Amino acid sequence: MPGYRPEEIEKKWQAHWKEHNTFKADNQSGKPKYYVLDMFPYPSGAGLHVGHPLGYIASDIVSRYKRLQGYHVLHPMGFDSFGLPAEQYAIQTGQHPALTTEKNIDTYIKQLNSLGFSYDWSREVRTSDPAYYKWTQWIFLKLFNAWYNLDTDRAEPIETLIAQFEQSGNAGVRAAGDDEERPSFTAEEWKAKSEPEQMATLLAYRLAYQSDTYVNWCAALGTVLSNDEVKDGVSERGGFPVERRLMPQWNLRITAYADRLLTGLDTIDWPEAVKEMQRNWIGRSVGAEVVFPLQNDASQNIKVYTTRVDTIYGATFMVLAPEHELVEQLTTPEQREAVESYIAQSKHRSERDRMADVKTVSGVFTGSYCLNPLTNEPVPIWLADYVLAGYGTGAVMAVPSGDQRDWNFAKHFGLPIIQVLDAQKDIEKEADPTKEGRFINSGIIDGLGYKEATTKLIGWLEERGLGKGKVNFRVRDAIFGRQRYWGEPIPIYYKDGTAYGLPESELPLVLPEIDEYKPTETGEPPLGRAQDWKYEGKYEYELSTMPGWAGSSWYYLRYMDPHNQERFVGQEAEEYWKTVDLYMGGAEHATGHLLYSRFWYLFLKDLGLVSGHEPFQKLINQGMILGRSNFVYRINGTNQFVTLSKKGQYDTTPLHVDVSIVDNDVLDQEAFRKWRPDYTNAEFVMEDNGTYVCGTEVEKMSKNKFNVVNPDVLVGQYGADALRLYEMFLGPLEQFKPWNTSGMSGVSGFLKKLWRLFHPEDGNLAVTDEAPAPAELKALHKAIRKAAEDIDKFSFNTSVSTFMICVNELTALNCHKRAILEPLTVVVSPYAPHLAEELWAELGHAPGSISEASFPEFKEEYLEEATVEYPIAFNGKMRGKMTFAANAPTSEIEKEVLASEVFEKFGEGKTPKKVIVVPGRMVNVVL
């Protein structure tokens, strides 16, 4: 075969793998199992750019390596195919989102296959497939028909709760959720309730429930957005205004699992940064709930949750969230205009913006007061958007001497600041949150320390029914509804206004056809446009669809048994694969997908449907590949563009230019003129050598910056194996790395060198059966050891360097020996699988069988040197060198040194006092 031709080799082996289902995994094997999972992609219309495959390449290397180690590997791929982008495109074009999604998936599959990934495509799943989302709906119904029993610390079927109600009412029932929403009733009162009344009562206990919830509402998109989809008060997609609005929403009671989600983090091998993000998001705190009666109506009160009840004597004002339910009642006529204006303003700030903005001070006085339960003194009630309705009670007792945000607020509005600990310092300059010292100005706890004061106060409050000790969590129940079309229908119907779960036998509830994909003229979600879409022809279905994270919260389980029509995953398949051994994906999912997936898994564990403890045992976050942008410099007011070195001589504006028409920062001027109509008549002020040199900057790869590099182009030019090697070679997997296409030529050259070890001068196969020399074995075994160590540590970039060194050494040794090249082919195969398959077949093995080979065993003895060169020193000064056998005893080394020409020349005819031999290092003769 003349030369290395990746374009032929790679297509050949990709076709072979597909035809022979080379990477298909059965749900049973005598081998140990290993489950490798990529965070599956959303199939956008733009397809993949070179930054996307980074994690896929790494996980594929691990998958192929584990097969060589004797593992039975599951390495699947699918698509998170519901979502807002496809729906927005459908609104703009009128084309059904299923059609664009299908087209995008076809593009992704073609691109993924072109990179040689060893996926078991027989297990592909798509979240928008009714056969898949039937089971997403099934899990939702399980959540709807379950409650969380705090006594058993697990979820249980709702029937067990109903049985308790029938026997003894809700006395003694300890359920996750807000007890204040659950009036007490006896067994007789329960039985006397009508069916709708019973259903309404149960709704307050269910793990999937409906309630009025503050959400991020985007009128232009006609839907609720998650906090992740809102930035600076506008939607991330489209930049449309977003406001906080109280709306009836489906919620999932993730708060029931907060403690277990927290403790489970200690059992999994995840990056510490990700675990810390989840700990902070869950936000466990130990404190107290305290009642502040209203001054003008002692029958009503404001509850606050505080972790510093010890500072209650320093509470000089109360702050409520603008959405707090008592705001209307507390606002006096004199303050109404100011309060309404402030509330309107705060609606346009997302919760994330409100939490993150620690510099801006804003607020408004309601005109009303509550009473400090310890002193009975009036406390003014203010509104401020740094307090969130959904966290704690939506109210904060403000202690400016100990909290900086409260201190800023007090200073801004001229409110009192009271010192409560003798150890607090400089509180006129800033807050001091210390817990040291003794309490002052603090009534019944004066003179006490922090722990004693806290215990005494909680006891005092509990005795009088004014408070209690409490553990609280920052995490809030997950909003589980979107006013969109392209998502899973929620399997709920309404009878006389009461929500009922669809019978499981009726699943899947399939998305109906509609005429348009935007909200109705009356403001209903797009599903309100469906004609005659009712349960049993008369009961209205829920019109919201599930959020994007619904289908991705359990997809890893479906991969285990994707064609099972009777169960979401077969019991035997689940017990065999159990959990994901390695999960590869981006850190941006730390508090979204990863948290919700763990929640769903724990719930399914409670129902006895899964057998592990956590879904993902090891997590690796790959870094981002950054784009290398190019800029041209337009002279303002003209259509002239000045080169980089001369731009300082003119008044210019830098403009991004498509990197595909730039080569080593030199612009293709004719291509630039053809790139966009407004550049047709562009003129250039060039370098002295007649070229136009662009400016550069490393930044996020984005279509808007024209710095996206299409992997299809690079595969066509250099081959998939070269692209795989280069992406790994760029640097440590977890780090951010700049892309530079010019580096591709280096790894391409390495692959050609590897080919020539088998085909000298690109001729026919010339592998011999000669016995290998020590130097050849040393080069090989260095590569074996390094590759194994690196893959086990997920440090892929240094392996590529090792391969290059090995091939250079073998080339210098003119090595063409089977005993060296055959194991080297196996070692390189996880990184460059196409070339490895070709060489493996040429060596006489069954076509496509390299994944069934065994990873070569590293042997230390091949790295041991036969001889060692010793520096010979006299009184510490090196005077010459001598070579000895590596295992030579010190006595023999000493004898030979004293008999050598070096000693004769530098020994000065003296009898040495002693000879010091440092084995393997040096000899020092002391005269």
Side-chain angles (χ1 to χ4, degrees):
M1 176 182 286
Y4 167 52
R5 296 178 178 273
E7 67 277 11
E8 295 177 9
I9 290 172
E10 291 174 356
K11 289 178 182 177
K12 168 185 172 181
W13 290 110
Q14 288 162 15
H16 180 94
W17 295 333
K18 181 178 181 180
E19 181 183 351
H20 293 86
N21 293 315
T22 302
F23 307 113
K24 189 176 187 299
D26 296 323
N27 285 343
Q28 55 185 358
S29 174
K31 299 177 181 179
K33 71 92 182 179
Y34 198 83
Y35 184 177
V36 182
L37 181 65
D38 297 305
M39 289 187 186
F40 69 165
Y42 174 80
S44 72
L48 298 173
H49 62 60
V50 293
H52 292 131
L54 181 69
Y56 301 156
I57 296 169
S59 67
D60 194 60
I61 289 170
V62 174
S63 299
R64 290 176 177 274
Y65 172 66
K66 287 295 182 181
R67 291 189 189 97
L68 298 172
Q69 283 192 310
Y71 285 87
H72 184 51
V73 175
L74 173 58
H75 187 35
M77 177 50 74
F79 300 95
D80 192 8
S81 48
F82 273 133
L84 186 56
E87 181 157 342
Q88 285 302 111
Y89 187 76
I91 291 172
Q92 295 164 9
T93 65
Q95 190 174 43
H96 197 289
L99 299 176
T100 55
T101 300
E102 182 79 20
K103 181 180 177 182
N104 295 344
I105 288 175
D106 288 345
T107 299
Y108 266 63
I109 290 176
K110 180 181 177 183
Q111 289 186 299
L112 292 169
N113 282 332
S114 75
L115 292 168
F117 296 133
S118 59
Y119 292 130
D120 179 356
W121 282 108
S122 71
R123 295 174 182 263
E124 180 197 345
V125 299
R126 304 179 182 188
T127 57
S128 59
D129 181 352
Y132 178 86
Y133 69 70
K134 165 186 177 177
W135 297 107
T136 309
Q137 293 172 337
W138 181 84
I139 295 172
F140 173 84
L141 288 175
K142 292 296 182 188
L143 287 158
F144 179 71
N145 290 312
W147 67 294
Y148 199 93
N149 188 338
L150 294 174
D151 288 329
T152 60
D153 196 25
R154 66 183 183 88
E156 296 180 3
I158 202 75
E159 288 77 16
T160 64
L161 182 64
I162 294 171
Q164 291 191 48
F165 289 170
E166 291 176 344
Q167 184 175 351
S168 56
N170 65 347
V173 170
R174 296 182 64 245
D178 190 349
D179 286 334
E180 292 186 4
E181 297 178 4
R182 303 161 176 164
S184 298
F185 54 85
T186 65
E188 290 69 27
E189 289 171 330
W190 167 258
K191 293 171 185 175
K193 291 177 183 287
S194 65
E195 182 180 301
E197 289 172 336
Q198 289 184 343
M199 291 292 286
T201 300
L202 289 171
L203 197 61
Y205 292 84
R206 296 181 187 273
L207 289 182
Y209 66 94
Q210 235 180 353
S211 71
D212 287 340
T213 307
Y214 277 98
V215 296
N216 299 314
W217 173 251
C218 180
L221 295 176
T223 188
V224 168
L225 300 176
S226 68
N227 284 330
D228 292 339
E229 296 169 315
V230 182
K231 188 174 182 181
D232 299 326
V234 298
S235 63
E236 191 173 49
R237 176 165 291 274
F240 300 113
V242 176
E243 68 174 62
R244 300 287 293 164
R245 182 182 289 188
L246 190 65
M247 296 177 67
Q249 288 290 322
W250 282 97
N251 297 264
L252 298 188
R253 209 179 295 278
I254 190 175
T255 50
Y257 287 85
D259 232 343
R260 289 165 65 185
L261 289 168
L262 198 60
T263 57
L265 291 170
D266 297 330
T267 69
I268 49 182
D269 183 7
W270 285 19
E272 191 55 38
V274 175
K275 293 203 279 191
E276 194 58 27
M277 287 173 72
Q278 290 210 357
R279 290 188 187 106
N280 292 335
W281 192 265
I282 295 165
R284 186 180 192 274
S285 60
V286 178
E289 194 172 74
V290 185
V291 171
F292 283 71
L294 297 184
Q295 183 182 44
N296 296 328
D297 185 357
S299 66
Q300 288 196 289
N301 58 66
I302 296 172
K303 281 187 179 178
V304 302
Y305 173 79
T306 176
T307 58
R308 292 295 304 272
V309 69
D310 55 295
T311 64
I312 192 168
Y313 285 95
T316 58
F317 57 99
M318 177 73 66
V319 187
L320 305 185
E323 305 91 349
H324 196 284
E325 59 187 9
L326 290 178
V327 170
E328 177 67 25
Q329 176 184 336
L330 294 171
T331 303
T332 61
E334 298 80 11
Q335 291 297 110
R336 186 161 302 281
E337 184 177 346
V339 167
E340 289 177 351
S341 173
Y342 186 75
I343 291 173
Q345 173 188 331
S346 68
K347 282 182 178 180
H348 297 287
R349 301 187 74 202
S350 71
E351 286 192 356
R352 177 168 294 181
D353 292 339
R354 287 162 58 175
M355 292 167 67
D357 185 3
V358 296
K359 295 181 179 179
T360 305
V361 178
S362 68
V364 64
F365 180 43
T366 64
S368 295
Y369 296 80
C370 57
L371 301 176
N372 186 314
L374 272 295
T375 65
N376 216 33
E377 293 179 358
V379 177
I381 303 171
W382 288 68
L383 305 185
D385 66 5
Y386 72 84
V387 181
L388 305 177
Y391 177 61
T393 63
V396 170
M397 68 169 208
V399 182
S401 67
D403 181 275
Q404 191 60 42
R405 210 159 196 180
D406 296 344
W407 188 94
N408 293 343
F409 196 92
K411 280 292 185 181
H412 187 81
F413 290 105
L415 298 166
I417 299 174
I418 298 174
Q419 184 176 356
V420 291
L421 279 157
D422 59 13
Q424 285 181 315
K425 297 178 181 178
D426 300 324
I427 62 171
E428 279 302 310
K429 296 180 180 178
E430 62 181 356
D432 184 352
T434 184
K435 295 179 181 178
E436 303 299 321
R438 300 285 168 177
F439 282 92
I440 59 175
N441 303 321
S442 296
I444 65 171
I445 58 170
D446 272 347
L448 299 181
Y450 166 72
K451 288 186 178 178
E452 303 94 328
T454 300
T455 302
K456 184 170 183 177
L457 282 170
I458 291 175
W460 190 93
L461 291 165
E462 288 180 345
E463 286 174 13
R464 291 159 179 77
L466 293 170
K468 60 182 178 180
K470 188 176 181 181
V471 175
N472 203 30
F473 294 91
R474 181 180 293 114
V475 66
R476 282 158 289 161
D477 287 340
I479 297 172
F480 197 73
R482 299 290 186 267
Q483 288 61 51
R484 302 174 183 164
Y485 172 73
W486 192 232
E488 300 92 335
I490 296 177
I492 293 290
Y493 67 92
Y494 295 91
K495 182 164 64 174
D496 299 326
T498 299
Y500 288 82
L502 207 62
E504 292 179 8
S505 61
E506 298 287 330
L507 299 180
L509 175 59
V510 179
L511 272 175
E513 295 291 335
I514 57 177
D515 57 350
E516 286 187 273
Y517 305 105
K518 56 186 180 182
T520 68
E521 287 70 17
T522 55
E524 292 177 316
L527 287 180
R529 296 179 175 276
Q531 297 294 316
D532 303 320
W533 191 57
K534 296 180 180 181
Y535 179 59
E536 295 184 342
K538 53 185 175 180
Y539 301 119
E540 299 287 344
Y541 283 120
E542 170 61 51
L543 298 182
S544 295
T545 53
M546 297 185 194
W549 54 265
S552 64
S553 292
W554 73 281
Y555 74 109
Y556 56 94
L557 293 167
R558 190 61 178 172
Y559 278 143
M560 299 176 186
D561 198 13
H563 308 298
N564 193 322
Q565 297 182 11
E566 306 302 322
R567 208 171 184 269
F568 76 112
V569 56
Q571 184 174 349
E572 289 185 9
E574 190 280 329
E575 288 176 351
Y576 176 73
W577 294 111
K578 214 172 189 74
T579 55
V580 175
D581 296 287
L582 172 64
Y583 199 17
M584 193 82 71
E588 67 272 15
H589 299 292
T591 55
H593 159 66
L594 288 171
L595 196 62
Y596 295 137
S597 295
R598 295 180 62 222
F599 160 42
W600 278 38
Y601 191 84
L602 291 175
F603 169 69
L604 294 170
K605 173 77 173 176
D606 287 349
L607 298 188
L609 297 171
V610 293
S611 56
H613 297 286
E614 284 278 343
F616 315 120
Q617 300 310 303
K618 182 172 184 63
L619 173 73
I620 294 180
N621 297 133
Q622 79 272 12
M624 183 184 295
I625 289 182
L626 301 172
R628 190 172 187 272
S629 300
N630 283 119
F631 295 87
V632 292
Y633 303 94
R634 181 166 59 193
I635 301 173
N636 291 334
T638 74
N639 204 24
Q640 285 186 303
F641 296 85
V642 62
T643 191
L644 177 64
S645 66
K646 299 181 180 181
K647 70 182 181 70
Q649 303 171 22
Y650 301 87
D651 179 21
T652 64
T653 299
L655 301 172
H656 282 92
V657 62
D658 193 331
V659 294
S660 68
I661 58 175
V662 180
D663 184 17
N664 284 327
D665 298 333
V666 175
L667 180 70
D668 182 332
Q669 298 169 30
E670 284 308 308
F672 179 78
R673 291 188 178 100
K674 295 175 182 176
W675 177 43
R676 288 169 52 172
D678 48 328
Y679 296 155
T680 302
N681 299 315
E683 298 177 2
F684 299 94
V685 178
M686 294 179 285
E687 302 287 341
D688 294 340
N689 63 3
T691 63
Y692 185 97
V693 178
C694 298
T696 64
E697 185 176 327
V698 174
E699 52 190 349
K700 183 178 179 180
M701 207 170 270
S702 164
K703 288 188 296 181
N704 295 332
K705 295 177 172 58
F706 306 108
N707 62 356
V708 170
V709 179
N710 189 329
D712 300 354
V713 174
L714 298 180
V715 168
Q717 187 173 356
Y718 298 99
D721 286 342
L723 180 59
R724 290 168 63 108
L725 282 162
Y726 184 58
E727 294 221 5
M728 293 298 98
F729 186 61
L730 283 172
L733 181 65
E734 295 90 346
Q735 293 182 8
F736 282 36
K737 301 167 282 289
W739 179 266
N740 188 349
T741 299
S742 60
M744 286 285 295
S745 59
V747 290
S748 177
F750 155 71
L751 291 171
K752 292 174 183 176
K753 267 193 171 183
L754 176 59
W755 173 263
R756 288 170 189 147
L757 289 177
F758 295 77
H759 301 84
E761 299 180 358
D762 289 336
N764 294 326
L765 184 71
V767 175
T768 73
D769 291 323
E770 293 178 66
E776 295 167 338
L777 287 166
K778 181 180 178 182
L780 170 67
H781 281 265
K782 283 192 297 183
I784 293 172
R785 179 177 65 179
K786 184 63 174 169
E789 289 176 351
D790 283 354
I791 297 178
D792 286 337
K793 294 186 300 183
F794 307 99
S795 179
F796 307 101
N797 57 309
T798 49
S799 278
V800 180
S801 301
T802 299
F803 298 153
M804 292 177 174
I805 292 169
C806 178
V807 168
N808 284 339
E809 290 177 349
L810 293 177
T811 300
L813 293 167
N814 198 29
C815 175
H816 308 294
K817 299 171 183 175
R818 175 183 293 273
I820 299 297
L821 300 185
E822 188 166 275
L824 178 62
T825 302
V826 177
V827 172
V828 172
S829 65
Y831 291 79
H834 306 89
L835 178 55
E837 287 278 27
E838 181 71 16
L839 297 175
W840 190 248
E842 287 194 340
L843 289 170
H845 298 282
S849 66
I850 198 166
S851 59
E852 299 168 11
S854 296
F855 197 82
E857 179 186 358
F858 165 67
K859 294 186 178 179
E860 183 74 41
E861 63 261 31
Y862 292 131
L863 268 57
E864 295 175 358
E865 298 286 353
T867 60
V868 178
E869 188 176 62
Y870 281 74
I872 311 299
F874 290 81
N875 291 339
K877 293 184 178 180
M878 204 267 283
R879 297 298 190 184
K881 294 181 180 180
M882 294 179 66
T883 300
F884 300 96
N887 57 357
T890 56
S891 58
E892 183 179 322
I893 293 172
E894 180 180 340
K895 182 180 177 181
E896 289 193 31
V897 167
L898 294 178
S900 68
E901 292 181 1
V902 178
F903 181 76
E904 185 178 340
K905 183 176 180 180
F906 295 101
E908 301 175 0
K910 298 178 181 179
T911 300
K913 294 180 180 179
K914 58 181 174 180
V915 178
I916 302 169
V917 178
V918 181
R921 300 288 301 276
M922 68 171 293
V923 178
N924 185 32
V925 180
V926 181
L927 298 174

